[in-house]
Amino acid sequence: MKKKVLIFAIGLSFLAPGISWGHMDVCQAGGPGSTGCKVSKTFELEAGPAGGSTTITYETTCGEGYYACCILNIMTGEGSATCVEK
């Protein structure tokens, strides 16, 4: 089963190379020269007849000597917003 998921993730990475599907090691927002960044994902909730949604957001602002790097795994909603030394 793990092999099928890995192949699926690799296939998706070819369709959308700017998105980090597996290891979250590439800035999806921010990057060198950026002082701040933000990434977010909205999940639809099925909580009875009302339903609804919730949004997970990762955001940072960095000081001098650092750049902002925000990443998000759109499959799980896990991510980070960090300041990286230049």
Side-chain angles (χ1 to χ4, degrees):
M1 184 65 175
K2 288 183 182 179
K3 289 182 181 179
K4 290 180 182 178
V5 172
L6 178 60
I7 291 168
F8 178 70
I10 290 170
L12 290 175
S13 67
F14 288 119
L15 296 174
I19 297 174
S20 176
W21 295 92
H23 299 289
M24 298 182 297
D25 57 357
V26 177
C27 299
Q28 293 171 329
S34 300
T35 57
C37 63
K38 177 180 178 179
V39 289
S40 62
K41 167 133 176 81
T42 300
F43 293 92
E44 296 299 320
L45 302 176
E46 294 181 22
S53 64
T54 187
T55 301
I56 296 173
T57 301
Y58 300 91
E59 182 175 10
T60 190
T61 302
C62 303
E64 190 175 329
Y66 293 84
Y67 67 87
C69 182
C70 294
I71 52 179
L72 176 68
N73 182 318
I74 64 169
M75 302 293 241
T76 64
E78 294 177 9
S80 69
T82 60
C83 295
V84 179
E85 191 169 2
K86 290 181 181 179

Coordinates of all heavy atoms in Angstrom, one line a residue:
M1 N 0.8 -1.2 0.0 CA 0.0 0.0 0.0 C 0.9 1.3 0.0 O 0.6 2.2 -0.7 CB -0.9 0.0 1.2 CG -1.9 1.1 1.2 SD -3.0 1.0 -0.1 CE -4.1 2.4 0.2
K2 N 1.9 1.2 0.8 CA 2.8 2.4 0.8 C 3.4 2.7 -0.6 O 3.5 3.9 -0.9 CB 3.9 2.2 1.8 CG 3.4 2.3 3.2 CD 4.6 2.2 4.2 CE 4.1 2.2 5.6 NZ 5.1 2.1 6.6
K3 N 3.7 1.7 -1.3 CA 4.3 1.9 -2.7 C 3.3 2.6 -3.6 O 3.6 3.5 -4.3 CB 4.7 0.6 -3.3 CG 6.0 0.0 -2.6 CD 6.4 -1.2 -3.3 CE 7.6 -1.8 -2.6 NZ 8.1 -3.0 -3.2
K4 N 2.0 2.2 -3.5 CA 1.0 2.9 -4.3 C 0.8 4.3 -4.0 O 0.7 5.2 -4.9 CB -0.4 2.1 -4.2 CG -0.4 0.8 -4.8 CD -1.7 0.1 -4.6 CE -1.7 -1.3 -5.1 NZ -3.0 -2.0 -4.9
V5 N 0.8 4.7 -2.7 CA 0.7 6.0 -2.3 C 1.9 6.8 -2.8 O 1.8 8.0 -3.3 CB 0.6 6.1 -0.7 CG1 0.7 7.6 -0.3 CG2 -0.7 5.5 -0.3
L6 N 3.1 6.3 -2.7 CA 4.3 7.0 -3.1 C 4.3 7.2 -4.6 O 4.5 8.3 -5.1 CB 5.6 6.2 -2.8 CG 6.9 6.7 -3.2 CD1 7.1 8.1 -2.6 CD2 8.0 5.8 -2.9
I7 N 3.8 6.3 -5.4 CA 3.7 6.5 -6.8 C 2.7 7.5 -7.1 O 2.9 8.4 -8.0 CB 3.4 5.1 -7.5 CG1 4.5 4.2 -7.4 CG2 3.0 5.4 -9.0 CD1 4.2 2.7 -7.8
F8 N 1.6 7.5 -6.4 CA 0.6 8.6 -6.6 C 1.1 9.9 -6.3 O 0.9 10.9 -7.1 CB -0.6 8.3 -5.7 CG -1.7 9.3 -5.7 CD1 -2.5 9.4 -6.9 CD2 -2.0 10.1 -4.7 CE1 -3.5 10.3 -6.9 CE2 -3.0 11.0 -4.7 CZ -3.8 11.1 -5.9
A9 N 1.9 10.1 -5.2 CA 2.5 11.4 -4.8 C 3.5 11.8 -5.9 O 3.5 13.0 -6.2 CB 3.1 11.3 -3.5
I10 N 4.3 10.9 -6.4 CA 5.2 11.2 -7.4 C 4.5 11.7 -8.7 O 4.9 12.7 -9.3 CB 6.2 10.1 -7.8 CG1 7.1 9.8 -6.6 CG2 7.0 10.3 -9.0 CD1 7.9 8.5 -6.7
G11 N 3.4 11.1 -9.1 CA 2.6 11.5 -10.2 C 2.1 12.9 -10.0 O 2.1 13.7 -11.0
L12 N 1.6 13.2 -8.9 CA 1.0 14.5 -8.6 C 2.1 15.6 -8.7 O 1.9 16.7 -9.1 CB 0.3 14.5 -7.2 CG -1.0 13.8 -7.1 CD1 -1.5 13.8 -5.7 CD2 -2.0 14.3 -8.1
S13 N 3.3 15.2 -8.2 CA 4.4 16.2 -8.2 C 4.8 16.6 -9.7 O 5.2 17.7 -9.9 CB 5.6 15.7 -7.5 OG 6.2 14.6 -8.2
F14 N 4.6 15.7 -10.6 CA 4.8 16.1 -12.0 C 3.7 17.0 -12.5 O 4.0 17.9 -13.4 CB 4.9 14.9 -12.9 CG 6.2 14.1 -12.7 CD1 6.1 12.8 -12.3 CD2 7.4 14.6 -12.9 CE1 7.3 12.0 -12.1 CE2 8.6 13.9 -12.8 CZ 8.5 12.6 -12.3
L15 N 2.5 16.9 -12.1 CA 1.4 17.7 -12.5 C 1.5 19.1 -11.9 O 1.1 20.1 -12.5 CB 0.1 17.1 -12.1 CG -0.2 15.7 -12.8 CD1 -1.5 15.2 -12.2 CD2 -0.4 15.9 -14.3
A16 N 2.0 19.2 -10.7 CA 2.1 20.5 -10.0 C 3.5 20.6 -9.3 O 3.6 20.4 -8.1 CB 1.0 20.6 -9.0
P17 N 4.5 20.8 -10.0 CA 5.9 20.8 -9.5 C 6.2 21.9 -8.4 O 7.1 21.7 -7.6 CB 6.8 21.0 -10.7 CG 5.9 21.7 -11.7 CD 4.5 21.2 -11.5
G18 N 5.4 22.9 -8.3 CA 5.6 24.0 -7.3 C 5.1 23.6 -6.0 O 5.3 24.4 -5.0
I19 N 4.4 22.5 -5.9 CA 3.8 22.1 -4.6 C 4.6 21.0 -4.0 O 5.0 20.1 -4.6 CB 2.3 21.6 -4.8 CG1 1.5 22.8 -5.3 CG2 1.8 21.1 -3.5 CD1 0.1 22.4 -5.7
S20 N 4.9 21.1 -2.7 CA 5.7 20.1 -2.0 C 4.7 19.0 -1.5 O 3.9 19.3 -0.6 CB 6.4 20.7 -0.8 OG 7.1 19.7 -0.1
W21 N 4.7 17.8 -2.1 CA 3.7 16.8 -1.8 C 4.3 15.9 -0.7 O 3.5 15.3 0.1 CB 3.4 16.0 -3.0 CG 2.7 16.8 -4.0 CD1 3.3 17.5 -5.0 CD2 1.3 17.0 -4.1 NE1 2.3 18.1 -5.8 CE2 1.1 17.8 -5.3 CE3 0.2 16.5 -3.4 CZ2 -0.2 18.2 -5.6 CZ3 -1.1 16.9 -3.8 CH2 -1.2 17.7 -4.9
G22 N 5.5 15.6 -0.7 CA 6.1 14.7 0.3 C 6.8 15.4 1.4 O 6.2 16.0 2.3
H23 N 8.1 15.5 1.3 CA 8.9 16.2 2.3 C 8.7 17.7 2.1 O 8.8 18.2 1.0 CB 10.4 15.8 2.2 CG 10.6 14.4 2.4 ND1 10.5 13.8 3.6 CD2 10.9 13.4 1.5 CE1 10.7 12.5 3.5 NE2 11.0 12.2 2.2
M24 N 8.5 18.4 3.2 CA 8.2 19.8 3.1 C 9.6 20.5 3.2 O 9.9 21.0 4.3 CB 7.3 20.2 4.2 CG 5.9 19.6 4.1 SD 4.7 20.1 5.3 CE 5.4 19.5 6.8
D25 N 10.3 20.6 2.1 CA 11.6 21.2 2.2 C 11.8 22.4 1.2 O 12.9 22.9 1.0 CB 12.7 20.1 2.0 CG 12.5 19.4 0.6 OD1 11.5 19.7 -0.1 OD2 13.3 18.5 0.3
V26 N 10.8 22.8 0.5 CA 10.9 23.9 -0.4 C 9.9 25.0 0.0 O 8.8 24.7 0.4 CB 10.5 23.4 -1.8 CG1 10.5 24.5 -2.8 CG2 11.5 22.3 -2.3
C27 N 10.3 26.3 0.0 CA 9.4 27.4 0.3 C 8.3 27.5 -0.7 O 8.6 27.6 -1.9 CB 10.2 28.7 0.4 SG 11.5 28.7 1.6
Q28 N 7.1 27.4 -0.3 CA 6.0 27.6 -1.2 C 5.6 29.1 -1.3 O 5.0 29.5 -2.2 CB 4.8 26.7 -0.8 CG 5.1 25.3 -1.0 CD 4.0 24.4 -0.4 OE1 3.4 24.8 0.6 NE2 3.8 23.2 -0.9
A29 N 5.9 29.8 -0.2 CA 5.7 31.2 -0.1 C 6.9 31.8 0.6 O 7.5 31.1 1.4 CB 4.4 31.5 0.7
G30 N 7.2 33.0 0.2 CA 8.4 33.6 0.8 C 9.6 33.2 0.0 O 9.6 33.2 -1.3
G31 N 10.7 32.9 0.6 CA 12.0 32.6 -0.1 C 13.0 33.7 0.1 O 12.7 34.7 0.7
P32 N 14.2 33.5 -0.5 CA 15.2 34.6 -0.4 C 14.7 35.9 -0.8 O 14.0 36.1 -1.8 CB 16.3 34.1 -1.3 CG 16.1 32.6 -1.3 CD 14.6 32.4 -1.2
G33 N 14.9 36.9 0.0 CA 14.5 38.3 -0.2 C 13.2 38.6 0.4 O 12.8 39.8 0.5
S34 N 12.4 37.7 0.9 CA 11.1 37.9 1.5 C 11.3 38.2 3.0 O 12.0 37.5 3.7 CB 10.2 36.7 1.3 OG 10.0 36.5 0.0
T35 N 10.5 39.2 3.5 CA 10.5 39.4 5.0 C 9.3 38.7 5.7 O 9.3 38.6 6.9 CB 10.5 40.9 5.3 OG1 9.3 41.5 4.6 CG2 11.7 41.6 4.8
G36 N 8.4 38.3 4.9 CA 7.2 37.6 5.5 C 6.5 36.7 4.5 O 6.7 36.8 3.3
C37 N 5.7 35.8 5.0 CA 5.0 34.9 4.1 C 3.8 34.2 4.9 O 3.8 34.3 6.1 CB 5.9 33.8 3.5 SG 6.6 32.6 4.7
K38 N 2.9 33.7 4.1 CA 1.7 33.1 4.7 C 1.2 32.0 3.8 O 1.2 32.2 2.5 CB 0.7 34.1 4.9 CG -0.7 33.7 5.4 CD -1.6 34.9 5.5 CE -3.0 34.5 6.0 NZ -3.8 35.7 6.1
V39 N 0.9 30.8 4.3 CA 0.2 29.8 3.5 C -1.0 29.3 4.4 O -0.9 29.3 5.6 CB 1.1 28.6 3.2 CG1 2.2 29.0 2.1 CG2 1.8 28.0 4.4
S40 N -2.0 28.8 3.7 CA -3.2 28.3 4.5 C -3.9 27.3 3.7 O -3.8 27.2 2.5 CB -4.1 29.5 4.8 OG -4.6 30.1 3.7
K41 N -4.7 26.5 4.4 CA -5.5 25.4 3.8 C -6.9 25.4 4.5 O -6.9 25.5 5.7 CB -4.9 24.1 3.9 CG -5.8 22.9 3.6 CD -5.2 21.9 2.7 CE -6.1 20.7 2.5 NZ -7.1 20.9 1.5
T42 N -7.9 25.4 3.8 CA -9.3 25.3 4.3 C -9.8 23.9 4.2 O -9.7 23.3 3.1 CB -10.2 26.3 3.6 OG1 -9.7 27.6 3.8 CG2 -11.6 26.2 4.2
F43 N -10.3 23.3 5.3 CA -10.9 22.0 5.3 C -12.4 22.1 5.5 O -12.9 22.9 6.3 CB -10.3 21.2 6.5 CG -8.9 20.9 6.4 CD1 -7.9 21.7 7.0 CD2 -8.5 19.7 5.8 CE1 -6.6 21.4 6.9 CE2 -7.1 19.4 5.7 CZ -6.2 20.3 6.2
E44 N -13.1 21.4 4.7 CA -14.6 21.3 4.8 C -14.9 20.3 6.0 O -14.3 19.3 6.0 CB -15.2 20.9 3.5 CG -15.1 21.9 2.4 CD -15.6 23.2 2.7 OE1 -16.7 23.3 3.3 OE2 -15.0 24.2 2.3
L45 N -15.8 20.7 6.8 CA -16.2 19.9 8.0 C -17.6 19.3 7.7 O -18.5 20.1 7.3 CB -16.2 20.7 9.3 CG -14.8 21.3 9.6 CD1 -15.0 22.1 10.9 CD2 -13.8 20.3 9.8
E46 N -17.8 18.1 8.1 CA -19.1 17.5 8.0 C -19.6 17.3 9.5 O -19.5 16.2 10.0 CB -19.1 16.2 7.2 CG -18.8 16.5 5.8 CD -18.8 15.2 5.0 OE1 -19.5 14.2 5.4 OE2 -18.2 15.2 3.9
A47 N -20.1 18.3 10.1 CA -20.5 18.2 11.5 C -22.0 18.4 11.6 O -22.5 19.5 11.9 CB -19.8 19.3 12.4
G48 N -22.7 17.3 11.3 CA -24.2 17.4 11.3 C -24.7 18.2 10.1 O -24.0 18.4 9.1
P49 N -25.9 18.6 10.2 CA -26.6 19.3 9.1 C -25.9 20.7 8.8 O -26.0 21.2 7.7 CB -28.0 19.5 9.5 CG -28.0 19.2 11.0 CD -26.8 18.5 11.3
A50 N -25.3 21.3 9.8 CA -24.7 22.6 9.5 C -23.4 22.6 8.7 O -23.2 23.5 7.9 CB -24.5 23.3 10.9
G51 N -22.6 21.6 9.0 CA -21.3 21.5 8.3 C -20.5 22.7 8.6 O -20.5 23.2 9.7
G52 N -19.7 23.1 7.6 CA -18.8 24.3 7.8 C -17.4 24.0 7.3 O -17.2 23.1 6.6
S53 N -16.5 24.9 7.7 CA -15.1 24.7 7.3 C -14.2 25.4 8.4 O -14.6 26.1 9.2 CB -14.8 25.4 6.0 OG -15.0 26.8 6.1
T54 N -12.9 25.0 8.4 CA -11.9 25.6 9.2 C -10.7 25.8 8.4 O -10.4 25.0 7.5 CB -11.6 24.7 10.5 OG1 -10.8 25.4 11.3 CG2 -11.0 23.4 10.1
T55 N -9.9 26.8 8.7 CA -8.7 27.1 8.0 C -7.5 27.1 8.9 O -7.5 27.6 10.0 CB -8.8 28.5 7.4 OG1 -9.9 28.6 6.5 CG2 -7.5 28.9 6.6
I56 N -6.4 26.4 8.4 CA -5.2 26.3 9.2 C -4.2 27.3 8.4 O -4.1 27.2 7.2 CB -4.6 24.9 9.1 CG1 -5.5 23.9 9.9 CG2 -3.2 24.9 9.7 CD1 -5.1 22.5 9.8
T57 N -3.6 28.2 9.2 CA -2.7 29.2 8.5 C -1.3 29.1 9.2 O -1.3 29.1 10.4 CB -3.3 30.6 8.7 OG1 -4.6 30.6 8.0 CG2 -2.4 31.6 8.0
Y58 N -0.3 29.2 8.4 CA 1.1 29.3 8.9 C 1.6 30.7 8.4 O 1.6 30.9 7.1 CB 1.9 28.2 8.4 CG 1.4 26.8 8.8 CD1 0.5 26.1 8.1 CD2 1.8 26.3 10.0 CE1 0.1 24.9 8.5 CE2 1.4 25.0 10.5 CZ 0.5 24.3 9.7 OH 0.0 23.1 10.1
E59 N 2.1 31.5 9.2 CA 2.5 32.9 8.8 C 3.7 33.3 9.7 O 3.7 33.0 10.9 CB 1.3 33.8 9.1 CG 1.5 35.2 8.7 CD 0.2 36.1 8.8 OE1 -0.7 35.6 9.4 OE2 0.3 37.2 8.3
T60 N 4.6 34.1 9.1 CA 5.7 34.6 9.8 C 6.2 35.9 9.2 O 6.0 36.2 8.0 CB 6.9 33.6 9.9 OG1 7.9 34.0 10.8 CG2 7.5 33.4 8.5
T61 N 6.9 36.7 10.0 CA 7.5 37.9 9.6 C 8.9 37.9 10.2 O 9.1 37.6 11.4 CB 6.8 39.2 10.1 OG1 5.5 39.2 9.7 CG2 7.5 40.4 9.7
C62 N 9.9 38.1 9.4 CA 11.3 38.0 9.8 C 12.1 39.3 9.8 O 11.8 40.2 9.1 CB 12.0 37.0 8.8 SG 11.2 35.4 8.7
G63 N 13.1 39.3 10.7 CA 13.9 40.5 10.8 C 15.1 40.5 9.9 O 15.3 39.6 9.1
E64 N 15.9 41.5 10.0 CA 17.1 41.7 9.2 C 18.0 40.5 9.3 O 18.2 40.0 10.4 CB 17.8 43.0 9.6 CG 18.9 43.4 8.6 CD 19.5 44.7 9.0 OE1 18.8 45.6 9.5 OE2 20.7 44.9 8.7
G65 N 18.6 40.1 8.2 CA 19.5 38.9 8.2 C 18.8 37.6 8.0 O 19.5 36.6 7.9
Y66 N 17.5 37.6 7.9 CA 16.7 36.4 7.7 C 15.7 36.6 6.5 O 15.3 37.7 6.2 CB 15.9 36.0 9.0 CG 16.8 35.7 10.1 CD1 17.4 36.6 10.9 CD2 17.1 34.3 10.4 CE1 18.2 36.3 12.0 CE2 17.9 34.0 11.4 CZ 18.5 35.0 12.2 OH 19.3 34.6 13.2
Y67 N 15.3 35.4 5.9 CA 14.2 35.5 5.0 C 13.1 34.5 5.4 O 13.3 33.6 6.2 CB 14.6 35.2 3.6 CG 15.1 33.8 3.3 CD1 14.2 32.8 2.9 CD2 16.5 33.5 3.3 CE1 14.6 31.5 2.6 CE2 16.9 32.2 3.0 CZ 16.0 31.2 2.7 OH 16.4 30.0 2.3
A68 N 11.9 34.8 5.0 CA 10.7 34.0 5.4 C 10.6 32.8 4.5 O 10.8 32.9 3.3 CB 9.5 34.9 5.4
C69 N 10.2 31.7 5.1 CA 9.9 30.5 4.3 C 8.7 29.8 4.9 O 8.7 29.3 6.0 CB 11.1 29.5 4.4 SG 10.9 28.0 3.4
C70 N 7.6 29.7 4.1 CA 6.4 29.1 4.5 C 6.1 27.8 3.6 O 6.3 27.9 2.4 CB 5.2 30.0 4.4 SG 5.3 31.4 5.5
I71 N 5.8 26.7 4.2 CA 5.5 25.5 3.5 C 4.3 24.9 4.0 O 3.9 25.0 5.2 CB 6.7 24.5 3.5 CG1 7.1 24.3 5.0 CG2 7.9 25.0 2.7 CD1 8.3 23.3 5.1
L72 N 3.6 24.1 3.2 CA 2.3 23.5 3.6 C 2.1 22.2 2.7 O 2.2 22.2 1.5 CB 1.1 24.4 3.3 CG -0.3 23.9 3.6 CD1 -0.5 23.7 5.0 CD2 -1.3 24.9 3.0
N73 N 1.8 21.1 3.4 CA 1.5 19.9 2.8 C 0.0 19.9 2.6 O -0.8 19.8 3.5 CB 1.9 18.7 3.6 CG 1.6 17.4 3.0 OD1 0.5 17.2 2.3 ND2 2.5 16.4 3.1
I74 N -0.5 20.1 1.3 CA -1.9 20.3 1.1 C -2.7 19.1 1.4 O -3.9 19.1 1.5 CB -2.2 20.9 -0.3 CG1 -1.8 19.9 -1.4 CG2 -1.5 22.2 -0.5 CD1 -2.3 20.2 -2.8
M75 N -2.1 17.9 1.4 CA -2.8 16.7 1.7 C -3.2 16.6 3.2 O -4.2 16.1 3.6 CB -1.9 15.5 1.3 CG -1.6 15.4 -0.1 SD -3.0 15.2 -1.2 CE -2.5 13.7 -2.0
T76 N -2.2 17.0 4.1 CA -2.4 16.8 5.5 C -2.8 18.1 6.3 O -3.3 18.1 7.4 CB -1.2 16.2 6.2 OG1 -0.1 17.1 6.1 CG2 -0.8 14.9 5.6
G77 N -2.4 19.3 5.7 CA -2.5 20.6 6.3 C -1.4 20.9 7.3 O -1.3 21.9 7.9
E78 N -0.4 20.0 7.4 CA 0.8 20.2 8.2 C 1.7 21.1 7.5 O 1.9 21.0 6.3 CB 1.5 18.9 8.5 CG 0.7 18.0 9.4 CD 1.4 16.7 9.7 OE1 2.5 16.5 9.3 OE2 0.7 15.8 10.2
G79 N 2.4 22.1 8.2 CA 3.3 23.0 7.6 C 4.1 23.7 8.6 O 4.2 23.3 9.7
S80 N 4.8 24.7 8.1 CA 5.6 25.6 9.0 C 5.8 27.0 8.3 O 5.7 27.1 7.1 CB 6.9 24.9 9.3 OG 7.7 24.9 8.2
A81 N 6.1 27.9 9.2 CA 6.4 29.2 8.7 C 7.7 29.6 9.6 O 7.6 29.8 10.8 CB 5.3 30.2 9.0
T82 N 8.8 29.7 8.9 CA 10.1 29.9 9.7 C 10.9 31.0 9.1 O 10.7 31.4 7.9 CB 10.9 28.6 9.6 OG1 11.2 28.3 8.3 CG2 10.2 27.5 10.3
C83 N 11.9 31.5 9.8 CA 12.8 32.5 9.4 C 14.2 31.8 9.2 O 14.6 31.1 10.1 CB 13.0 33.6 10.4 SG 11.5 34.6 10.6
V84 N 14.7 31.9 8.0 CA 16.0 31.2 7.6 C 17.1 32.3 7.5 O 16.9 33.3 6.9 CB 15.8 30.5 6.3 CG1 17.1 29.8 5.9 CG2 14.6 29.5 6.4
E85 N 18.2 31.9 8.1 CA 19.3 32.9 8.1 C 19.8 33.0 6.6 O 20.0 32.0 5.9 CB 20.5 32.4 9.0 CG 21.5 33.4 9.2 CD 22.5 33.1 10.3 OE1 22.4 32.0 10.9 OE2 23.4 33.9 10.6
K86 N 20.1 34.2 6.2 CA 20.5 34.5 4.8 C 21.9 33.9 4.6 O 22.7 33.9 5.5 CB 20.5 36.0 4.5 CG 19.2 36.5 4.4 CD 19.2 38.0 4.0 CE 17.8 38.6 4.0 NZ 17.8 40.0 3.7

